[in-house]
Structures are given as C-alpha cells and as structure tokens.
Amino acid sequence: MRVATYASHSALQILKGAKQEGFETVAFGKTRVKPLYTRYFPVADYFIEGTYPEEELLELEAVVIPTGSFVAHLGIQLVERMRVPYYGNKEVLRWESDRNLERKWLEKAGLRLPRVYDDPDEIDRPVIVKPFGAGGGRGYFLAKSPADFWKKAGKLGIRNKEDLSNVQIQEYVVGVPVYPHYFYSKLSRELELMSVDRRYESNADAIGRIPAGEQLGLELNTNYTVIGNIPIVLRESLLMDVIEAGERVVETAENLMGGLWGPFCLEGVYTEELEFVVFEISARIVAGTNPFVHGSPYSWLRYDFPVSTGRRIAMELRQAVEEDRLGEVLT
Ligand code: AMP
Ligand code: AMP
C-alpha cells in the first residue's frame, strides 16, 4: 500500500507524515509543481501528471488522502465514483457541500451558528452575503440594512427575491477567526485536538493597514482570499469548549451519515463574550494544519514525538494495516 494525494494544499505535510510512518508516497497533479514534491521538498517517491490518474494509482496500490484541493479539482460526483480507495467517509461530502444540510448537521450538534436571513428585508444588523460556490470568499459582501443589501446585490445582478436562491445572508459575527483542527480515530474511537490556526487573508487583513480616513474614500470591498495560515494557541479555559464542540459534531455525524473520521476543522469566530460561533465545517485535512509539520503545542502534549495531522493520518493507516482493519477507514 502507498499513500497518495493531489499535489497542492497540504500535500507536503501529508506525504512527509506518510514517509515518517514508513509508507512509500505518490503525488499527482500539474507537471510544473513536480520539483516542489520531488526535489525542493523530497516527500514524493512517485510523481504522476494528472488530476486523478486512476489506472496508475490502482497499479501502485495507492490510498488517496483527500484535500480541499483534490475535491475542488475533481468535483464531488467523480470523487463519489472513484475506484481508488479513499481515506474517510464519502457520505460526508453531500452534507458538507449543501449549505442547508451542513447547517442541519451543525445545529443538531448544538453549535452556535450565525443567524441566517431568508428575507433581505428583515436585515436588522450587519450581515455577510455569500453567493454559493464563491471560492475563497470572493464575491462576498457586507450589508447593514435592506436598502444597502439591494444596492450592493444589484451590482451582482440580484434584483428581486426570486434571484436569491444562490446566496446565503448570514448575521455578521464580530469576533476573531479561530479554526481548531481535530482528528477522530475510528480505530480507537477517540477525538484529538491537533492544532489551531487563523487564516491570513487578502484583503481582509490588509484593510487595517490603511488609515480610516483614507479607507472611506477608497470604497474597498472586503475579500477573504487565503494567502497563508498563522498558528494560534488558545486561552486554556477555552479548550474544553472547543473539544466538546468537536465531540458533538462526531457524535451527530454517526447518526446522520454513518460517521466522520480522520481530520476535520470547525471554522468560526470567537466573540468578546467568549462564544465560539461556527460558520463552516471542513470534513478533511485543512491547510491550516500546515504550520505544524513538526507538530503543534497540542500534539506535543499528547505525543512525545512530532505529530502533524499528515503524520496522524499515516499512523492511523499503519495501525489499520497492522490490525487488518483497512476496510473500516477506507471508502
Ligand atoms: P489550491 O490547491 O491552493 O488551489 O486550493 C484548493 C482549495 O483549498 C481552494 O478552495 C482554496 O481556497 C483552499 N485552500 C488552499 N489553501 C488554503 C489555506 N492555506 N487555507 C485555507 N484554505 C485553503
Ligand atoms: P468562508 O468562505 O465561510 O470560510 O468565510 C471566509 C471569511 O469570511 C472567514 O474567514 C471569515 O473571516 C469571514 N466570515 C464568514 N462568515 C462570517 C460571519 N458569519 N461573520 C463574520 N465573518 C464571517
């Protein structure tokens, strides 16, 4: 068995972790990035050109570790039909990609979510408007009243309530972004807190560098294009909240979709009332784990050797091989 992933996103970490656990590794993707995975950072034993070279992966007896990048490039329908073994539960994809199902899942888990407005004329506080499928927050806009909403939505071609099916209007929650990364071991039935990050986003993190007086004249719109990730260590009294939120998400997933296992992330903000408000779940490894190739403060507290999320995945696969339980973690 070999460990494979699409060459982008968190592949360096995944393949490094697999090698640390004694697996041979396969990266596949665009030719241009081959030197990144084979020469500058020699983590891939094999590099295959292509978005999803199924026959070659089957020949190499590869197991694919999904990332945001892999799912985005291949598309959910193709991922569902893959013949190469996939680490994780594919049932989760449908729940995660539909904003209404995702909300149902997180609500059942008892998480605090931003209020959603079905009718823009009810907007009574700042809101963030999210067109469906807007990658990386491009196309999002903020509004503070119904009039403000219709003015800004008009520029995107949304002129009446019939055009609203492709956007979600969420309460804008004022707080600092916090993204805890979890790992749920299906083999040992235990949840681990791996690390925490915040994103470094352009231009959201750039606007504060411009004096307020000048911002007014520039008429900037906020965008959330991810450029990198910054590690966070949480105030210790918040850790139990974050862990319990993760436990409930896993428990709810068992009832709704037959389980969530491997890495996942809750994406939200912490308010000044110390409340964690979650706006999204990512049911696989997130790139916010990349600062922790050599482990995080949290993985160091649990293990006496450096454990990244990539390595934790490989540890699980190695245990599954040794105990002859691969069928339980692959779909
Ligand atoms: P990429 O492989 O960089 O093209 O990214 C594929 C998907 O993962 C896109 O939806 C990106 O927005 C998301 N993504 C990539 N890198 C990061 C990151 N460092 N943090 C959060 N999301 C990311
Ligand atoms: P998303 O595409 O859902 O990951 O959101 C992109 C960015 O928008 C996040 O990193 C947050 O900074 C911000 N954001 C999203 N939803 C909200 C919300 N309801 N309240 C405040 N900020 C939000």
Side-chain angles (χ1 to χ4, degrees), residues 6-10 30 67-70 72-73 135-138 179 197 199-200 224-229 267 286-290:
Y6 182 75
S8 190
H9 191 273
S10 47
K30 297 197 175 89
T67 62
S69 192
F70 175 68
H73 284 86
R138 250 164 289 144
Y179 292 65
D197 84 300
R199 293 175 176 178
Y200 197 41
Y224 304 91
T225 305
V226 180
I227 303 300
N229 302 84
E267 309 181 346
V286 291
T289 57
N290 287 339

Side-chain angles (χ1 to χ4, degrees), residues 5-289:
T5 198
Y6 182 75
S8 190
H9 191 273
S10 47
L12 289 169
Q13 181 204 154
I14 292 171
L15 301 178
K16 172 78 184 179
K19 285 186 83 72
Q20 286 171 317
E21 291 301 309
F23 290 106
E24 277 201 315
T25 56
V26 188
F28 52 92
K30 297 197 175 89
T31 314
R32 177 173 174 238
V33 300
K34 180 177 175 183
L36 192 62
Y37 298 90
T38 54
R39 184 146 54 88
Y40 297 104
F41 307 116
V43 294
D45 296 310
Y46 296 81
F47 188 96
I48 312 170
E49 196 184 330
T51 308
Y52 171 56
E54 184 157 82
E55 294 309 325
E56 288 96 325
L57 291 171
L58 287 169
E59 266 170 44
L60 287 170
E61 294 176 47
V63 164
V64 167
I65 312 299
T67 62
S69 192
F70 175 68
V71 176
H73 284 86
L74 201 58
I76 289 182
Q77 276 160 2
L78 288 181
V79 173
E80 280 171 345
R81 292 207 304 268
M82 275 170 62
R83 284 157 58 220
V84 178
Y86 169 103
Y87 176 65
N89 182 3
K90 284 186 194 168
E91 292 291 316
V92 169
L93 290 164
R94 199 171 56 86
W95 283 83
E96 191 196 12
S97 59
D98 177 322
R99 276 201 213 274
N100 298 320
L101 287 178
E102 181 187 32
R103 199 172 168 86
K104 184 171 156 193
W105 176 9
L106 300 179
E107 265 173 2
K108 275 191 190 290
L111 301 184
R112 159 92 163 86
L113 309 178
R115 177 171 166 194
V116 168
Y117 292 81
D118 292 324
D119 182 351
D121 292 325
E122 287 176 7
I123 293 173
D124 57 356
R125 67 189 83 176
V127 295
I128 180 165
V129 184
K130 302 181 172 185
F132 288 161
R138 250 164 289 144
Y140 288 12
F141 63 90
L142 306 180
K144 54 183 184 289
S145 64
D148 192 29
F149 171 88
W150 289 115
K151 190 178 106 202
K152 289 171 176 164
K155 290 187 191 149
L156 298 176
I158 301 169
R159 299 187 206 290
N160 51 51
K161 290 185 186 171
E162 281 73 58
D163 297 335
L164 288 173
S165 55
N166 284 325
V167 298
Q168 192 178 64
I169 306 169
Q170 286 183 5
E171 163 194 11
Y172 186 88
V173 184
V174 179
V176 290
V178 168
Y179 292 65
H181 319 132
Y182 306 86
F183 185 91
Y184 180 69
S185 165
K186 193 165 184 213
L187 301 180
S188 64
R189 304 213 156 267
E190 272 186 55
L191 182 76
E192 296 169 37
L193 178 65
M194 299 303 300
S195 44
V196 185
D197 84 300
R198 57 157 296 186
R199 293 175 176 178
Y200 197 41
E201 294 160 328
S202 204
N203 63 9
D205 291 307
I207 288 174
R209 299 165 65 93
I210 305 167
E214 296 189 43
Q215 284 180 26
L216 290 172
L218 293 175
E219 287 193 30
L220 292 168
N221 196 3
T222 29
N223 293 299
Y224 304 91
T225 305
V226 180
I227 303 300
N229 302 84
I230 304 172
I232 291 186
V233 172
L234 285 177
R235 189 171 161 167
E236 197 157 312
S237 54
L238 300 176
L239 289 178
M240 213 51 226
D241 281 356
V242 162
I243 288 170
E244 284 169 359
E247 292 280 9
R248 292 198 304 272
V249 166
V250 170
E251 202 179 294
T252 312
E254 309 231 315
N255 301 324
L256 292 178
M257 65 206 81
L260 166 69
W261 64 86
F264 69 97
C265 171
L266 294 177
E267 309 181 346
V269 295
Y270 250 103
T271 67
E272 61 189 339
E273 288 86 27
L274 301 178
E275 196 174 23
F276 186 40
V277 183
V278 174
F279 36 74
E280 210 167 319
I281 179 166
S282 224
R284 65 189 62 73
I285 186 169
V286 291
T289 57

